[in-house]
Each structure stands twice: as C-alpha cells, then as structure tokens.
C-alpha cells in the first residue's frame, strides 16, 4: 500500500467515531482518526460551559445504526447535559473498541492532495506527516471559537473565557462580577447558571433573541423503554422529518384556525416546551404573517415573565422573525432578569468601545467585571475546515476555492479536492438538523461511496465543478423559500465573522428530502461525481 492509511479522519466527535467504525469494521480499511483534544467527544469535549445542554431530546440524540448501542444506554433527562453526552460518546468508543485507532492531542495544520500519489499528505502540529487515500473531515460545524477582536482585551486584568474552549476544571464565579457577551443558544444557557453563582452578572446583548422553555426533567421511563423496544420506529421517525427531530410538524397553517385556537395551540406548545414549539404550525418558517403570530406570542411571554418593563422591552425588541436564527431553548433564562444581581446592557444601542484593565466600556459608561465570558459563537461551518490549510489538486487552496463562499456538491465534496469528504459540510442540512441524524446519513453515504469505489477498482473521486455551482443555487433556492435569510446577522450566513463572505450555508430544503437526493445520486452511479483509477 503506498499510503500510511486508507483513510484519515479529522475529529473524534459523533461523525468521526461512526466514520471510523464504518470504514474499519464494515469495509476492512486501515483508518486513523486525528483529534486535537485530549479525549473523544468533539463539541461535547470542548463545550463545558455552565449550563451546557443539548437542545435535541435525548432519545433522538444518539446513533441509531446499532440496536445494541441503544439497548445498553440509559439517558437520564429529557435533554442530555454536556457531561452525559460526553459519557455516551466514550461509551460508544469503548463498546466499538475505537480508541486504538484514534490519535489524541493531534491538531491537523496542513493537508495537501498529491496528484501523483492520488492521495493526501496530512501534517500535524507536532510535525508528523501521514499519507492516506481519503481525507475525511469530521471537524463539526461549530468548533472554531470566535472571540471578537475588541480593543484592549489584552489589558484586562481579570480572566476571560470562550464558552467553546471552557476550562475542564470549571470556573469559580462565587463572589465575582461577571460580564457575559452573547445571547445565542449558548449565552442563554449560561445566564441562569452563572447568575446563581456570581456576585453580579452583566449581560451585554447585541441582538435580543427568542427562547422557548425547555422544561427539562427526568427522562420519561416509558419513552425510554419504548425506544429500546422499537428502535426502528424511532430511526424511521427522525429520518423522515424535516429537521431530524422525533416529532412531526403539525399539518396546519396559522390561518386554518381562529385567534383563540391559535393562542390555545401556542399555550400548549409553550407548556410542552423545546424545539417542538416550532412544529405548532407548518408555515411558521415560510410565511411572515404566520411567523408574526408566534413572534408576538413569545414577546408577550417575555413581557409577562420579566418584571422590570425597561428590561423586558430590551429583551423583547427582537429584530428577526422567530426561528430564523437558531432557536434557543432555555431553563429560566428570562426569569433570571428578575434577580437583583443580573443586569442587561443593550450594546446594539450603546456599543462596546473597548475593554480595559478593569472591565468593559460601552458608549454610555464603564462596567467593572472580574471575569468576561465570551458566548460569542463560532466561525461556523467553514472555520474549522479552513483552519486546516487544505490544498487540493494543482495547488488550489480551499481558502481560494471558497473566497466567495463555500461551494460544495451536496455538502459532501468540493471540486478540485479529490478524495476529500466533508461530513456535515456547508451545503448539507447539518445545523438545521438534529445533528446525529444528519451525521449518520452522511457517514453511511460516504461509506457506501467508498465501497462502490473499491468494488469498481476506482482510486479517485471528485465532483464536477459545474455540479458545485448548481448545488450552490439549490442551497440558495431552498433558503429563499423560507424566512431564514431575513435574519441578516445570522451565522447561517457567515455574518458573525467580520470579512467572511455572506452566503447561506446550510441546506434548508429539509433533511428527508436532502437524503432522498443523495440516495438518488448514489443509485445513478454517483451522477455528478467523476471517478478515475489510481495512476
Ligand atoms: P451564536 O448563536 O453565534 O451566538 C453568539 C452571540 O454572541 C450572539 O448573541 C451574538 O450577537 C453575540 N456576539 C458575537 N460577537 C459579538 C460582539 N462583538 N459584540 C457583542 N455580541 C457579540 O453562538 P452560540 O454559541 O450561542 O450558539 C451556536 C450554536 O451552538 C447554537 O446555535 C447551537 O446549535 C449550538 P449577534 O446575534 O451576532 O448580534
């Protein structure tokens, strides 16, 4: 074999673990996973911030490919917390004996396709060079932490942390004044937990956000047993829905019901909580008027919960339609503003000017803090791929190829980058989905594709360039059929990272529909991909 490995996989989260298992144990390939962290788990290894919890329901947030894995695992809560998901992924790594083929503490800093070798030369931070026929990126969509470049941060004499690279030993907030920047899903989870511990929490809000109560609690034992007894039913359910979640969107439009019934439906959905709220009507994400009814309902709830009218007004002053940014779910987020030790600063109205030795300055004053928490998100979907300095055929860098935004075929491959697969890459449903469902579909598709290549003695695969152009149009068309592009400051568009090209990145046409397109292409002998034998 001219290569060190048949396949190198970057990342040991949900996607890397399953991809290793599939290629090694189903296709008998020699595979190594390279993982920057000191343990497996990906997102769940890094994101240890206070309150970190999954917003998919536990019984759908696991692999479905193995009934044994389902039977022998017990989720304890409706939504799994970070530590529990991490334990789950360690359980998978042990049960499937994956650890021997995972190289931890190994960050990939370069990957170049060598045409003569017909494979990849991958360089690690500690100077190792490894070759492989296939390079599979399993780096996740939200792993490249984004700390905004606010002048003066280096002068700050306290501590600061980004939620996505949280210290393993935790942070002691007792007796501290904390400044938190960011009100996305992460920030909304942090607030109640930090507020309960800290002396004072000042939240710097640039964009007010919708949030639905999670109503987390112990896992329903009947549901847990039912999933173990009927795993195929749940697998089929999550794979047949728009977002890979274990519930169906109600087949009714807002206009099908009168105002009173509408309110009753929203009240019920609010009481049930979680992402299911979005499924109350089928046109919430496609019809502005329908969306307004949900938005108005949530804004009224915010004003009902938050006692101080000024604070409530700032929290409810939301500039985008409901669910056009990733919709957070929370545990007592809005209630936290009724505490005496929590204050809200509107930095849209009065922007942060700089950070100095003792705190955060805005245009209307200075806020003394001991700790700054950056819940400021990620260079999403492309950041971690670009950070690997990938160079394709004929020396083309991925950064050059994507200078106007990421173009892929199905989110799985990039023209000019042969034998590279991008699991949950830009152009696939990924972040609009319950991730493990999107991941399983991608891993299985890639495994079948490589199996097809082996069976047909093919050594090289890449998409035809025009297919990537066409798919980019499809991705745009799918987004334009929804209200999603109306959130102008969204990371779905790359808008949260200065200088990043604006392009709607995830495929919004629905998971089940996307999967059927991928299957169809595979059945047509991978139409749109070009293959060749190894030279
Ligand atoms: P998000 O959703 O990107 O949220 C980041 C938040 O940080 C958001 O409120 C941003 O405001 C805010 N932000 C970012 N930069 C700044 C600056 N410079 N000043 C003030 N505020 C800023 O990241 P999350 O980690 O919460 O969630 C990411 C995903 O992880 C989540 O959707 C789940 O899928 C898991 P903005 O809205 O841009 O005005």
């Amino acid at each position: 074999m001219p290569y060190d490995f048949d396949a190198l996989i970057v990342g040991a989260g949900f996607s890397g673990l399953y991809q290793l298992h599939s290629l090694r144990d189903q296709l008998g390939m020699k595979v190594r996973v390279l993982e920057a962290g000191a343990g497996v788990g990906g997102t769940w290894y890094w994101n240890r911030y206070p309150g970190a919890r999954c917003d998919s329901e536990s019984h759908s947030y696991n692999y479905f490919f193995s009934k044994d894995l389902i039977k022998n695992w017990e989720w304890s809560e409706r939504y799994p917390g970070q530590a529990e998901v991490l334990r789950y992924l360690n359980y998978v790594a042990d049960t499937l004996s994956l650890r021997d083929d995972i190289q931890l503490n190994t960050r990939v800093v370069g990957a170049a396709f060598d045409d003569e070798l017909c494979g990849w030369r991958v360089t690690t931070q500690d100077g190792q060079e490894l070759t492989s026929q296939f390079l599979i990126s399993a780096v996740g969509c939200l792993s490249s932490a984004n700390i905004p470049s606010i002048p003066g941060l280096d002068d700050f004499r306290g501590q600061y942390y980004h939620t996505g690279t949280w210290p393993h030993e935790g942070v002691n907030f007792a007796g501290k004044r904390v400044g938190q920047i960011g009100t996305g899903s992460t920030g909304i989870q942090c607030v109640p937990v930090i507020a309960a511990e800290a002396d004072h929490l000042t939240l710097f809000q640039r964009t007010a956000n919708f949030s639905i109560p999670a109503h987390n609690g112990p896992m329903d034992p009947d549901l847990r047993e039912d999933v173990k007894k009927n795993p195929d039913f749940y697998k089929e359910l999550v794979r047949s829905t728009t977002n890979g979640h274990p519930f169906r969107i109600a087949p009714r439009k807002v206009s099908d019901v009168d105002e009173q019934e509408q309110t009753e439906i929203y009240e019920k959905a609010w009481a049930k909580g979680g992402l299911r709220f979005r499924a109350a009507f089928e046109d919430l994400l496609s019809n502005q008027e329908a969306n307004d009814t949900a938005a108005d309902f949530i804004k009224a709830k915010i004003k009902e919960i938050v006692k101080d009218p000024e604070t409530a007004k700032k929290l409810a002053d939301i500039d985008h339609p409901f669910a056009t940014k990733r919709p957070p779910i929370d545990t007592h987020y809005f209630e936290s503003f009724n505490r005496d030790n929590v204050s809200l600063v509107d930095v849209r109205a009065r922007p942060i000017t700089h950070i100095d030795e003792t705190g955060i300055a805005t245009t209307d004053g200075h806020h003394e803090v001991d700790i700054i928490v950056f819940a400021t998100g990620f260079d999403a979907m492309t950041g971690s791929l670009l950070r690997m300095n990938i160079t394709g055929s004929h020396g083309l860098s991925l950064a050059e190829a994507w200078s106007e935004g990421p173009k892929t075929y199905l989110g799985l491959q990039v023209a000019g980058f042969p034998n590279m697969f991008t699991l949950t890459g830009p152009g696939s449903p990924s972040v609009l989905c319950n991730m493990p469902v999107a991941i399983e579909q991608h891993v299985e598709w890639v495994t079948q594709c490589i199996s097809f290549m082996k069976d047909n003695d093919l050594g090289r695969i890449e998409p035809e360039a025009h297919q990537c152009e066409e798919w980019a149009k499809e991705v745009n068309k799918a987004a334009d059929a929804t209200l999603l592009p109306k959130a102008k400051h969204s990371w779905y568009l790359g808008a949260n990272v200065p200088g990043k090209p604006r392009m709607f990145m995830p495929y919004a046409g629905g998971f089940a529909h996307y999967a059927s397109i991928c299957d169809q292409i595979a059945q047509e002998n991978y139409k749109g991909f070009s293959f060749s034998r190894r030279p």
Side-chain angles (χ1 to χ4, degrees):
M1 188 176 77
Y3 310 109
D4 298 321
F5 294 93
D6 294 316
L8 284 168
I9 298 169
V10 188
F14 262 101
S15 46
L17 295 181
Y18 184 29
Q19 190 69 79
L20 164 61
H21 170 63
S22 306
L23 296 183
R24 188 192 68 178
D25 302 334
Q26 289 168 21
L27 302 190
M29 291 168 70
K30 187 177 176 196
V31 185
R32 182 175 287 177
V33 175
L34 305 175
E35 164 58 54
V40 303
T43 291
W44 301 102
Y45 173 85
W46 297 104
N47 281 269
R48 297 171 188 244
Y49 60 84
R53 188 173 292 284
C54 182
D55 50 16
S56 295
E57 295 181 24
S58 293
H59 67 289
S60 65
Y61 200 74
N62 45 228
Y63 296 113
F64 281 95
F65 70 84
S66 156
K67 289 180 184 157
D68 286 341
L69 283 177
I70 293 177
K71 275 194 189 122
N72 297 318
W73 180 257
E74 307 262 295
W75 290 115
S76 67
E77 292 176 277
R78 179 177 176 192
Y79 300 95
Q82 174 271 333
E84 191 166 26
V85 186
L86 189 58
R87 269 202 307 284
Y88 170 75
L89 289 168
N90 276 280
Y91 148 78
V92 172
D94 289 331
T95 308
L96 302 178
S97 307
L98 300 178
R99 293 194 195 276
D100 286 351
D101 296 305
I102 301 172
Q103 188 177 320
L104 299 171
N105 299 305
T106 305
R107 184 173 288 283
V108 171
V109 292
F113 186 76
D114 182 329
D115 282 282
E116 233 170 85
L117 179 74
C118 189
W120 288 89
R121 294 186 183 280
V122 174
T123 322
T124 67
Q125 199 162 32
D126 53 10
Q128 214 181 356
E129 189 188 283
L130 299 167
T131 59
S132 65
Q133 184 181 1
F134 295 101
L135 173 66
I136 302 178
S137 150
V139 292
C141 302
L142 297 157
S143 50
S144 192
N146 169 41
I147 294 191
S149 55
I150 300 175
L153 180 58
D154 289 342
D155 300 332
F156 183 57
R157 284 208 305 256
Q159 285 82 45
Y160 69 88
Y161 307 95
H162 186 279
T163 49
T165 49
W166 200 258
H168 288 200
E169 64 281 10
V171 174
N172 184 2
F173 292 106
K176 305 281 188 195
R177 295 162 302 177
V178 182
Q180 179 188 313
I181 304 177
T183 53
S185 302
T186 300
I188 280 175
Q189 289 187 335
C190 286
V191 162
V193 186
I194 297 179
E197 249 189 73
D199 189 42
H200 191 89
L201 171 65
T202 307
L203 179 65
F204 296 85
Q205 169 186 281
R206 185 165 69 183
T207 306
N209 213 342
F210 295 101
S211 186
I212 308 292
H215 297 312
N216 189 34
M219 175 85 185
D220 172 353
D222 293 340
L223 178 59
R224 184 163 48 208
E225 281 319 298
D226 199 44
V227 177
K228 284 180 197 287
K229 276 195 202 128
N230 302 300
D232 289 338
F233 169 82
Y234 288 92
K235 180 176 180 174
E236 171 53 26
L237 174 63
V238 293
R239 288 192 174 197
S240 61
T241 59
T242 308
N243 302 100
H245 285 290
F247 49 82
R248 302 214 181 272
I249 296 171
R252 63 179 168 225
K253 295 187 169 37
V254 170
S255 57
D256 291 343
V257 299
D258 63 25
E259 223 170 286
Q260 192 192 335
E261 199 180 339
Q262 213 183 81
T263 309
E264 282 165 15
I265 288 169
Y266 282 136
E267 285 291 357
K268 255 197 204 151
W270 184 265
K272 181 83 184 160
L275 294 175
R276 286 171 189 262
F277 185 89
R278 204 175 32 171
F281 294 100
E282 65 181 16
D283 53 348
L284 292 184
L285 255 186
S286 55
N287 178 323
Q288 183 65 60
E289 278 174 26
N291 191 291
D292 287 345
T293 63
D296 290 347
F297 177 86
I298 301 168
K299 289 174 187 175
K301 284 284 180 201
I302 298 172
K303 289 178 179 160
E304 203 179 292
I305 296 168
V306 179
K307 297 206 174 86
D308 173 50
E310 267 309 297
T311 306
K313 196 168 155 223
K314 284 183 204 162
L315 288 166
D317 186 13
I318 304 173
D319 68 354
H320 52 278
F322 168 60
T324 55
K325 286 184 142 192
R326 174 82 188 222
I329 64 174
D330 70 274
T331 300
H332 308 314
Y333 171 64
F334 294 116
E335 289 82 348
S336 301
F337 296 92
N338 295 333
R339 299 175 64 106
D340 292 339
N341 70 335
V342 176
S343 45
L344 181 69
V345 177
D346 177 358
V347 297
R348 174 68 51 84
R350 296 172 190 83
I352 296 173
T353 53
H354 62 282
I355 291 172
D356 62 17
E357 291 176 350
T358 57
I360 299 173
T362 63
T363 52
D364 77 335
H366 182 266
H367 304 268
E368 294 224 337
V369 295
D370 307 304
I371 296 176
I372 302 175
V373 173
F374 286 99
T376 42
F378 301 89
D379 182 352
M381 306 203 71
T382 55
S384 300
L385 281 161
L386 292 171
R387 250 191 346 190
M388 287 193 284
N389 295 308
I390 299 172
T391 314
S393 189
H394 309 301
L396 177 75
S397 78
L398 191 59
E400 285 162 349
W402 284 359
S403 58
E404 288 169 12
K407 286 188 186 154
T408 65
Y409 186 32
L410 304 171
L412 277 160
Q413 276 218 309
V414 185
F417 296 78
N419 293 1
M420 178 176 88
F421 292 99
T422 50
L423 300 176
T424 66
S428 74
S430 63
V431 291
L432 298 178
C433 271
N434 179 20
M435 285 303 291
V437 177
I439 285 167
E440 276 197 347
Q441 184 260 339
H442 259 198
V443 167
E444 286 164 13
W445 194 94
V446 168
T447 306
Q448 276 166 22
C449 177
I450 291 178
S451 172
F452 170 85
M453 290 177 71
K454 280 163 77 89
D455 292 348
N456 292 283
D457 201 20
L458 299 167
R460 177 173 162 146
I461 173 175
E462 68 176 299
E464 294 155 10
H466 74 97
Q467 297 289 357
C468 295
E469 296 296 329
E470 290 304 312
W471 186 249
K473 284 184 203 153
E474 277 304 306
V475 172
N476 261 326
K477 207 168 99 189
D480 286 343
T482 71
L483 302 175
L484 288 163
K486 288 203 170 191
K488 297 289 175 214
H489 302 291
S490 146
W491 56 258
Y492 292 155
L493 277 162
N496 64 326
V497 176
K500 188 165 171 168
R502 301 258 171 134
M503 178 168 169
F504 196 86
M505 292 185 285
Y507 175 71
F511 170 77
H513 178 59
Y514 168 82
S516 72
I517 295 173
C518 293
D519 288 348
Q520 184 62 33
I521 286 170
Q523 272 161 29
E524 291 174 34
N525 288 336
Y526 297 92
K527 192 173 157 205
F529 291 92
S530 62
F531 293 94
S532 54
R533 292 187 195 281
R534 205 179 286 160

